[in-house]
Amino acid sequence: MTSAIAVLLELAGRDDLDSSSRQALLDAAGHLRGSDGTAATSPGGLLDAIPDAVTIHDQRGDVIDANTAACRLYGHPRGTLLTLNLVDLSPALTSDHIEHVIETCRISDAFTVETSIRRSDGRNFPVEIHANAYEEGGETRVISIARGISHWQRTASALRDADQRYQTLLRSIDKGVYVCEARGGAAYANPAALQMLQMTEEAFAQAARDGFPGWQWHDERGRPLDAAEYPSTRAFASGKPGQSELLCLSIPHRREPLWLSLTSVPLFRAGEETPYQVVVACDDVTELKRMRDVLARTQVVGSIGGFELSLDRKRLICTDEMYRLFDLPHDMPITLERLSSLLAPYDPDVMEDHIQAVVRGENVQHEHEIVTPLGRHRWLSIVLRPLRSGNAVQGVAGMCQDITARKLLEIELRRKAITDPLTGLANRESIVDELNRQIIATRPGESGPSLLYVDLDRFKTVNDILGAAAGDGLIAAAAERLRESLPDGARCGRFASDEFLVVLPRLLRGERASELAETIVQRFRRPFQHLGEDYVVTASVGLARHPKDGVTVQTLVRHADAAMSDAKRRGRNTWQAFSIDMERQLENSLEIENQLRHALERHELHLAYQPQVDMGTGRLVGAEALLRWRHPQRGELLPLAFVPHAENSGEIVPIGSWVIQEACRRLSEWRDEGIALPRIAVNVAYRQLLSEGFLDLVVGTLRRHDLPGDVLEIEMIERMLIEDTPETLQVLKDLRGLGVRVLIDDFGEGYSSLNYLRRLPIDALKISGEFVRRAPGAAADLAICEAIVRVGRGLELDLIAEGVETDEQRQLLLAQGLRIGQGNFFCPAVDAETFVSFARRRGFG
């Protein structure tokens, strides 16, 4: 008795029990104190006061008692439960599990496990089991409390680990989104969806755990849907995105049904063919649906025209409403030919075909658009029935109902399903469908559609500076410029955040695509305005043509994207057409990126070292560590052949980390050998500079090799500083705080700005080797070198000349006051052993 009470009190004290379960355990323990002990182990006893499933087991795991909640959970009557073992209830557990529980409880007082139980109908059900052991009558007993685990609980944990920007997007958009798991049930709903449902997150989670009791979906005709007909279920089954559809959802706490326009998209894990989730996007169209229904009910009692037609077509009797619907004067007789002439598009055989069907005894109902003599467009529902005398058809009775408002609403609903709400352009799904339709319509041997891939240059920078609202305004303005540029028959859609697709129909000549690409580039050179300020956001455009550049949608989009990327590599603000060479480059790029992923682990990367010397005395003052790749097929590769690919793929971060560690390790090794090299420089990419953990890497590497911060120099190309952000400034300040020097490499080649030289904590400039090589014979290059020297001195920055190849260049640089240089004149980049020999010849060690 005492042991059972203690176990109940101990379990009640667990932090993970809800308040009702905890109170039930405390109440049961209190009753046991006042009883003779028989109630605790008798059917229908005090254990039934506990809402969770409770079973009591002997040392073999056999069930010796169970409460009513356990009978419900396992689906067995109590008598059957008493014949079962712990492993019968939970086949996922091992046969010695009860022994493990008893042993654990002796050490840590309690035992908790997440597993699954098997119900009487054979279905598995996830549970969390809290157990403890106690002694009763000299026998060891185990009390087990099982609680169900919902899909919501498992998925919520995973969603918390999801990408933060994805979560922010879901929470900020005004479109409702909910996520369904493959094992059933909705796992997550964003704030917009919760607002539509009029629920809190907690209420939705509880409803999900309970299986959404009382929720019922209906189609547009009011027919209840089975679970297999839900959009998410069909998306799981087909593995394909579902078409937008209109459904009604009835929820117990809402007084009125909720009408939603739904689109379901399945998600796949890499390498899997079965969806693991379905994302359902929804719009609340309840008001639109209510307006349509009100109009429909109104039209039942009014706005209906009637007529009768004789079989010989000579007599047509019409009501007054028919004249109003067709905008015809009452003094003009209406004929069947006159009514048929108003159909849009005009087809003289349509009405005659309908009437012939009625004469055969059929009922006919069709919807037609008409254009009245006053130019008004109306949609009419035309219902035709046979007029009978006995079994013989004597004529045709008809009714015309004005359904214009309903049809316009349907068109609007369809438009919303295929339109990007920010720009009014076709959305991603719609523009891809249009491209696919154009491809399908192309006959063999014909030229198909052309595709332009338009990307806004530096949009992210402008968006970060001005904010999301201004960024949305810029996207909308860019869409309008694209729309104004389109020729007749072309369609434009928003493909991604700042990316657009333009589909030119197959009937336009191929040259028109090139002309349009140039037009778009030209138009985007005009600045955009925001709060009275001008902002230049240019466009890079890629062009791919069917079937020359691809015969499928995926291939055309990929190749147009590759052409756009090539335009960006050429300096942005231009367009490029896809070519065979580009395809080879694309394949080469993919091959290089794939091989780079294994280059580190295969020890194919190594460093070469180029001395930096005092050009007046020849004294060795430092070295630059230069990355090389011993490619198994292509031989020794310089950075230009693979570093851009590493930057695109993200491999530059682990590779750059290895470079810093290897350079510092080598410098420490040299110092131990008596070669006290003052400093060593490494090149760092922008992506690596702002990567998480970069500063920790620098600090840890210096400490590991017992090196002061001032022996390490970080070289960055000046193009990186065009992305002049607060994060960049903070990282550079932190590096300076460590004593690490920051240099601008290849200064003067492209994006020179005196502003960032003034604001950023920079220690030195390296004059580009291109200027140094040409300086002796080119006045312009010599003038640039002199200007860089003056700027550096004025800002009190150190100066280094790279690419020194001749003594003439050396003397010219010395004459301008430059002391430090590097280049093949002194020593090319060499391996570590050769560098040591060079250093010893210069008096080190």
Side-chain angles (χ1 to χ4, degrees):
M1 168 78 74
T2 303
S3 298
I5 293 173
V7 170
L8 289 172
L9 290 174
E10 183 178 310
L11 289 173
R14 296 183 67 90
D15 293 336
D16 49 2
L17 282 180
D18 57 49
S19 58
S20 61
S21 297
R22 180 178 291 107
Q23 189 59 48
L25 287 166
L26 292 172
D27 291 344
H31 285 300
L32 284 174
R33 285 196 185 97
S35 71
D36 60 0
T38 59
T41 58
S42 63
L46 291 177
L47 289 182
D48 288 338
I50 303 174
D52 291 318
V54 178
T55 54
I56 297 178
H57 304 263
D58 62 16
Q59 288 178 281
R60 296 184 303 275
D62 294 335
V63 179
I64 60 175
D65 201 357
N67 69 349
T68 303
C71 296
R72 287 197 303 269
L73 178 64
Y74 295 104
H76 291 293
R78 183 173 178 276
T80 302
L81 278 178
L82 296 183
T83 67
L84 300 177
N85 186 273
L86 177 63
V87 178
D88 297 325
L89 300 179
S90 182
L93 300 177
T94 60
S95 59
D96 61 347
H97 183 75
I98 194 73
E99 300 172 6
H100 181 54
V101 172
I102 294 172
E103 184 63 28
T104 301
C105 292
R106 286 173 180 160
I107 299 173
S108 60
D109 298 333
F111 184 88
T112 300
V113 65
E114 288 188 7
T115 183
S116 62
I117 59 107
R118 179 170 295 170
R119 299 168 59 91
S120 61
D121 57 8
R123 290 186 298 122
N124 289 331
F125 187 77
V127 295
E128 181 179 70
I129 297 178
H130 303 276
N132 210 334
Y134 65 96
E135 297 293 327
E136 185 175 64
E139 297 288 337
T140 300
R141 299 286 186 258
V142 173
I143 184 169
S144 170
I145 299 180
R147 307 180 69 201
I149 302 174
S150 70
H151 292 298
W152 169 265
Q153 291 169 313
R154 295 194 301 276
T155 308
S157 175
L159 288 175
R160 282 193 297 271
D161 297 332
D163 184 88
Q164 188 59 41
R165 289 177 296 176
Y166 175 69
Q167 288 294 330
T168 302
L169 173 64
L170 286 183
R171 291 186 176 277
S172 61
I173 61 175
D174 59 359
K175 194 178 190 71
V177 176
Y178 64 91
V179 181
C180 298
E181 292 284 353
R183 288 168 290 187
Y188 169 77
N190 74 340
L194 293 174
Q195 184 177 8
M196 295 177 193
L197 298 171
Q198 297 178 359
M199 299 181 76
T200 63
E201 287 189 49
E202 293 75 15
F204 183 85
Q206 185 59 50
R209 286 192 293 269
D210 296 339
F212 299 101
W215 292 39
Q216 180 61 58
W217 289 94
H218 299 80
D219 65 14
E220 195 172 1
R221 297 183 299 276
R223 181 180 63 85
L225 301 182
D226 295 330
E229 298 177 286
Y230 294 170
S232 58
T233 306
R234 286 187 275 113
F236 274 120
S238 66
K240 298 178 181 179
Q243 296 293 327
S244 178
E245 57 187 305
L246 184 64
L247 295 178
C248 176
L249 176 61
S250 298
I251 311 176
H253 67 268
R254 282 182 60 103
R255 293 183 179 180
E256 298 179 349
L258 178 65
W259 286 92
L260 298 173
S261 177
L262 302 166
T263 303
S264 302
V265 179
L267 300 181
F268 299 82
R269 292 190 179 94
E272 294 185 359
E273 297 181 356
T274 303
Y276 75 99
Q277 283 182 339
V278 166
V279 176
V280 182
C282 55
D283 284 313
D284 183 354
V285 294
T286 304
E287 289 302 318
L288 291 175
K289 183 66 170 62
R290 183 179 293 115
M291 291 172 59
R292 192 182 78 174
D293 290 345
V294 168
L295 287 171
R297 286 192 295 270
T298 301
Q299 290 166 359
V300 169
V301 296
S303 195
I304 299 174
F307 63 89
E308 288 187 5
L309 178 68
S310 63
L311 290 182
D312 59 7
R313 319 295 197 270
K314 294 181 179 179
R315 184 173 57 88
L316 179 62
I317 302 173
C318 298
T319 64
D320 289 342
E321 192 65 17
M322 286 288 292
Y323 288 90
R324 189 196 68 78
L325 290 175
F326 287 87
D327 284 336
L328 296 173
H330 282 72
D331 57 356
M332 175 185 292
I334 298 180
T335 63
L336 183 62
E337 291 75 14
R338 179 61 170 155
L339 296 181
S340 299
S341 69
L342 300 179
L343 297 179
Y346 172 65
D347 185 344
D349 298 326
V350 170
M351 286 300 294
E352 181 61 31
D353 291 343
H354 293 342
I355 292 171
Q356 287 291 343
V358 174
V359 172
R360 293 193 298 269
E362 301 175 14
N363 295 328
V364 176
Q365 182 170 355
H366 282 274
E367 294 178 353
H368 291 287
E369 185 181 11
I370 65 169
V371 181
T372 73
L374 299 181
R376 293 173 177 156
H377 288 255
R378 287 197 179 105
W379 279 91
L380 300 179
S381 174
I382 302 176
V383 180
L384 304 176
R385 299 288 187 269
L387 283 173
R388 298 179 183 274
S389 176
N391 292 326
V393 176
Q394 299 294 322
V396 177
M399 180 187 71
C400 292
Q401 182 178 7
D402 187 347
I403 58 170
T404 304
R406 176 171 67 82
K407 291 295 291 187
L408 292 179
L409 284 171
E410 290 177 356
I411 293 171
E412 175 64 15
L413 289 174
R414 286 195 296 270
R415 188 195 67 79
K416 286 186 67 176
I418 63 173
T419 302
D420 175 60
L422 177 60
T423 63
L425 299 175
N427 60 18
R428 181 188 183 109
E429 178 183 345
S430 179
I431 194 65
V432 169
D433 284 346
E434 174 64 21
L435 178 60
N436 190 49
R437 282 193 294 270
Q438 291 281 346
I439 291 174
I440 292 174
T442 304
R443 291 192 292 268
E446 291 183 341
S447 294
S450 297
L451 179 66
L452 298 182
Y453 197 119
V454 183
D455 182 86
L456 304 186
D457 300 327
R458 298 182 62 238
F459 169 75
K460 182 181 183 300
T461 301
V462 175
N463 189 64
D464 290 344
I465 294 173
L466 300 182
D472 287 348
L474 176 59
I475 291 293
E480 185 58 32
R481 283 199 187 174
L482 284 174
R483 190 183 286 110
E484 294 170 354
S485 306
L486 298 183
D488 292 341
R491 282 198 66 189
C492 180
R494 186 181 180 194
F495 190 66
S497 172
D498 61 336
E499 299 172 356
F500 302 86
L501 295 184
V502 178
V503 178
L504 278 74
R506 56 193 176 86
L507 300 179
L508 290 180
R509 58 189 176 89
E511 295 81 358
R512 191 64 185 274
S514 303
E515 296 169 3
L516 179 58
E518 181 62 30
T519 297
I520 292 172
V521 170
Q522 293 290 345
R523 291 201 175 194
F524 273 80
R525 287 173 180 162
R526 300 198 317 267
F528 292 89
Q529 283 202 338
H530 176 70
L531 299 179
E533 298 289 337
D534 287 346
Y535 292 89
V536 177
V537 178
T538 55
S540 295
V541 182
L543 167 61
R545 297 182 175 93
H546 177 278
K548 180 172 70 73
D549 299 327
V551 296
T552 66
V553 169
Q554 293 78 8
T555 304
L556 271 182
V557 172
R558 186 173 68 252
H559 287 175
D561 185 15
M564 180 274 295
S565 298
D566 188 62
K568 285 189 176 292
R569 282 192 292 271
R570 294 172 183 265
R572 302 184 175 94
N573 188 25
T574 187
W575 69 274
Q576 287 294 315
F578 187 76
S579 64
I580 296 299
D581 289 340
M582 203 176 295
E583 184 170 18
R584 295 194 189 101
Q585 293 172 7
L586 188 61
E587 293 173 353
N588 178 67
S589 176
L590 290 174
E591 181 182 2
I592 290 290
E593 289 178 11
N594 288 332
Q595 293 172 338
L596 262 178
R597 292 187 177 94
H598 306 289
L600 267 178
E601 63 188 54
R602 293 171 179 168
H603 306 291
E604 295 171 356
L605 300 179
H606 69 100
L607 295 182
Y609 302 89
Q610 186 168 43
Q612 295 175 344
V613 302
D614 184 315
M615 293 188 291
T617 66
R619 180 173 57 90
L620 180 63
V621 297
E624 180 180 1
L626 299 168
L627 183 61
R628 299 290 187 265
W629 182 10
R630 292 192 185 97
H631 193 280
Q633 287 83 38
R634 306 185 186 196
E636 187 88 349
L637 296 182
L638 298 178
L640 189 61
F642 63 91
V643 166
H645 301 290
E647 291 176 342
N648 289 336
S649 66
E651 290 297 315
I652 193 64
V653 175
I655 291 175
S657 299
W658 175 84
V659 169
I660 292 175
Q661 296 175 74
E662 177 64 11
C664 289
R665 184 193 68 80
R666 184 67 71 177
L667 179 62
S668 176
E669 182 180 284
W670 288 339
R671 289 192 163 200
D672 292 342
E673 296 174 0
I675 302 176
L677 192 68
R679 59 180 179 263
I680 193 165
V682 296
N683 292 276
V684 172
Y686 184 71
R687 188 167 184 173
Q688 181 188 5
L689 183 75
L690 296 186
S691 64
E692 184 178 356
F694 176 73
L695 285 173
D696 292 338
L697 167 73
V698 173
V699 172
T701 302
L702 292 173
R703 287 178 179 173
R704 186 179 309 113
H705 299 293
D706 195 23
L707 295 173
D710 59 5
V711 304
L712 180 62
E713 292 184 338
I714 299 294
E715 293 191 9
M716 303 180 299
I717 58 174
E718 58 180 326
R719 285 194 298 272
M720 288 168 52
L721 300 179
I722 196 173
E723 306 286 354
D724 184 3
T725 65
E727 292 83 359
T728 306
L729 178 61
Q730 187 59 51
V731 172
L732 296 182
K733 285 182 177 179
D734 292 340
L735 287 172
R736 172 166 283 185
L738 297 172
V740 177
R741 287 163 49 87
V742 178
L743 285 71
I744 304 304
D745 195 14
D746 294 331
F747 184 78
E749 279 195 356
Y751 293 92
S752 302
S753 169
L754 299 183
N755 183 48
Y756 72 69
L757 290 179
R758 177 180 58 83
R759 294 193 315 103
L760 297 179
I762 296 168
D763 298 287
L765 304 177
K766 292 187 75 173
I767 301 177
S768 171
E770 293 299 318
F771 301 128
V772 172
R773 293 186 188 96
R774 295 193 298 262
D781 292 292
L782 179 60
I784 291 173
C785 289
E786 293 173 346
I788 294 174
V789 171
R790 288 196 297 271
V791 169
R793 287 175 176 170
L795 295 175
E796 299 181 349
L797 300 175
D798 293 337
L799 294 163
I800 301 173
E802 60 181 348
V804 181
E805 307 287 343
T806 67
D807 187 57
E808 182 183 8
Q809 294 168 351
R810 180 187 70 84
Q811 293 181 21
L812 183 64
L813 294 168
L814 281 172
Q816 295 182 16
L818 273 166
R819 299 292 301 179
I820 309 303
Q822 69 182 83
N824 290 343
F825 177 74
F826 307 106
C827 181
V830 295
D831 59 37
E833 291 73 17
T834 306
F835 183 86
V836 168
S837 299
F838 177 88
R840 295 191 188 283
R841 291 196 301 272
R842 296 299 173 111
F844 281 83

